[in-house]
Amino acid sequence: MDDCIIIGAGPAGLTAAIYLARFHLGIRLFDCGSSRAALIPCTHNHAGYPEGISGNDLLARMLEQAERYGAVREPAEVTALRVIEDGFGVRVGEREYGARTVLLATGVVNNRPDIDDALHAEALQRGLLRYCPICDGYEVTDKRVGVIGTGEHGMREAVFLRGFTADVTLIAPGGAHELDQACQDALDDAGIRRLDGPCGDFRIEGDQLSVGTAKGRQSFDSIYPALGSKIRSGLAVQAGAAAAEDGCLEVDDHQRTSLPGLFAAGDVAKGLDQISHAMGEAGVAATTIRNLLAEQRPIRR
Ligand SMILES: Cc1cc2nc3c(=O)[nH]c(=O)nc-3n(C[C@H](O)[C@H](O)[C@H](O)COP(=O)(O)OP(=O)(O)OC[C@H]3O[C@@H](n4cnc5c(N)ncnc54)[C@H](O)[C@@H]3O)c2cc1C
């Protein structure tokens, strides 16, 4: 039985792997290769990289660091998680692996607008399409920005982006906007334009991304979809862990879920969806896991 199985090798899972391997614990690290960090063309808000670093380069560096201490990333999808005597059963393919503790670091998946995959990839790479105003709002300073969304979530994203540029348009994804009076007032107060949908038929035109709306085709320097995300907490919820209404796992200040021995870190847990936060949570989780295991059986060299 392993000391800990980490599910997910994004910034959270890899940070935990570095810590746990350096604690001389027996770990496994399963990952199905869809880290959100891999979508980052170049992050400029992650401390320590003044020139910025691509998400893939950051992940490769973290994996290299974890491997130095014996961690191995096994490319596989975990399909089930259950409580067994003294720990957890983690299913991968036909096999079930046993672990005394599990760290879930499976992240989230952004809901995308209806846009062709190749076009999506190019627009993302060129910063024409962006998903994280906290991360890269600075890069759209004084640019023409579109936000796809409506309701309170869309309003909040648009108002947040107003801190970077005066030229913000909120486009409803479907038909007409669904905005209550408070949302309309907040948008008016910030000077944010509204356009009804349906929005679609995306095209790259020169250095802009254009989109069809109820008022015809509109072009923007960057478009932010604000369509929410799917939280990849299903394995933990099926095993019995508590989650918030949006699907994020509930954790205490040591990253413990409601199931003893099951921990969560990164975007899958409630908190700020940022690399730095994912890494910090993983450091806390890994140290708590180490201390829990040491209580059960002294860790000695
Ligand atoms: C376009 C974009 C730009 C961003 N820019 C920035 C930025 O500049 N700065 C910043 O701080 N943040 C940025 N973020 C957010 C950042 O990427 C995330 O906060 C970060 O990746 C979260 O790390 P994580 O380890 O929790 O999840 P992830 O990085 O998403 O990793 C989760 C991992 O779990 C694996 N997994 C999931 N389910 C399973 C399973 N069942 N079995 C096995 N493996 C599984 C996935 O394959 C994946 O590798 C950006 C996000 C996007 C989409």
Side-chain angles (χ1 to χ4, degrees):
M1 191 175 255
D2 291 305
D3 288 321
C4 183
I5 290 182
I6 303 167
I7 308 174
L14 288 171
T15 300
I18 293 166
Y19 276 56
L20 291 169
R22 286 172 52 82
F23 290 147
H24 297 297
L25 294 172
I27 62 168
R28 274 180 189 279
L29 172 62
F30 292 116
D31 183 61
C32 62
S34 52
S35 167
R36 276 212 314 150
L39 300 174
I40 308 173
C42 187
T43 171
H44 292 281
N45 78 338
H46 188 55
Y49 297 92
E51 304 302 324
I53 183 167
S54 79
N56 277 323
D57 284 351
L58 183 66
L59 290 170
R61 281 171 176 246
M62 294 180 73
L63 179 60
E64 186 191 336
Q65 190 174 350
E67 285 173 341
R68 277 193 195 194
Y69 303 103
V72 177
R73 174 185 170 275
E74 299 183 53
E77 183 176 0
V78 173
T79 53
L81 176 66
R82 69 185 181 104
V83 177
I84 58 172
E85 202 183 333
D86 297 331
F88 296 90
V90 176
R91 177 153 297 274
V92 174
E94 295 299 300
R95 199 171 152 191
E96 186 177 72
Y97 297 83
R100 295 162 72 200
T101 60
V102 166
L103 173 66
L104 202 81
T106 43
V108 307
V109 180
N110 290 111
N111 293 325
R112 296 180 174 190
D114 186 13
I115 177 168
D116 164 81
D117 280 351
L119 186 65
H120 187 277
E122 185 183 347
L124 203 63
Q125 193 58 35
R126 292 176 55 183
L128 302 175
L129 197 60
R130 299 176 180 271
Y131 279 90
C132 178
I134 295 175
C135 313
D136 52 23
Y138 183 88
E139 273 65 45
V140 301
T141 298
D142 296 335
K143 298 265 177 75
R144 183 168 161 73
V145 168
V147 177
I148 301 173
T150 194
E152 193 176 337
H153 181 61
M155 178 276 287
R156 284 189 185 284
E157 192 109 325
V159 169
F160 187 84
L161 278 157
R162 184 63 183 78
F164 301 95
T165 174
D167 193 344
V168 180
T169 305
L170 181 63
I171 311 161
H177 267 295
E178 290 165 24
L179 297 162
D180 63 19
Q181 196 55 51
C183 286
Q184 291 179 36
D185 291 347
L187 291 165
D188 288 341
D189 184 51
I192 293 166
R193 277 181 300 281
R194 264 104 76 187
L195 285 176
D196 286 335
C199 102
D201 189 17
F202 292 83
R203 292 182 210 159
I204 294 177
E205 292 172 345
D207 287 333
Q208 290 192 314
L209 186 61
S210 78
V211 60
T213 74
K215 284 250 167 70
R217 182 155 286 282
Q218 306 282 328
S219 296
F220 298 94
D221 298 317
S222 285
I223 293 180
Y224 284 83
L227 302 172
S229 47
K230 289 183 195 69
I231 319 296
R232 292 198 274 200
S233 57
L235 291 170
V237 171
Q238 276 160 24
E245 212 172 289
D246 62 1
C248 281
L249 291 175
E250 286 173 8
V251 289
D252 68 8
D253 56 6
H254 286 78
Q255 304 305 127
R256 293 180 277 232
T257 70
S258 61
L259 262 189
L262 178 65
F263 294 75
D267 291 356
V268 75
K270 218 162 180 47
L272 191 67
D273 287 357
Q274 289 284 284
I275 297 167
S276 57
H277 200 63
M279 289 178 169
E281 288 183 338
V284 170
T287 308
T288 310
I289 288 169
R290 187 251 170 235
N291 291 340
L292 174 72
L293 292 171
E295 270 171 28
Q296 296 168 0
R297 193 171 62 206
I299 297 169
R300 301 267 189 272
R301 293 298 286 170

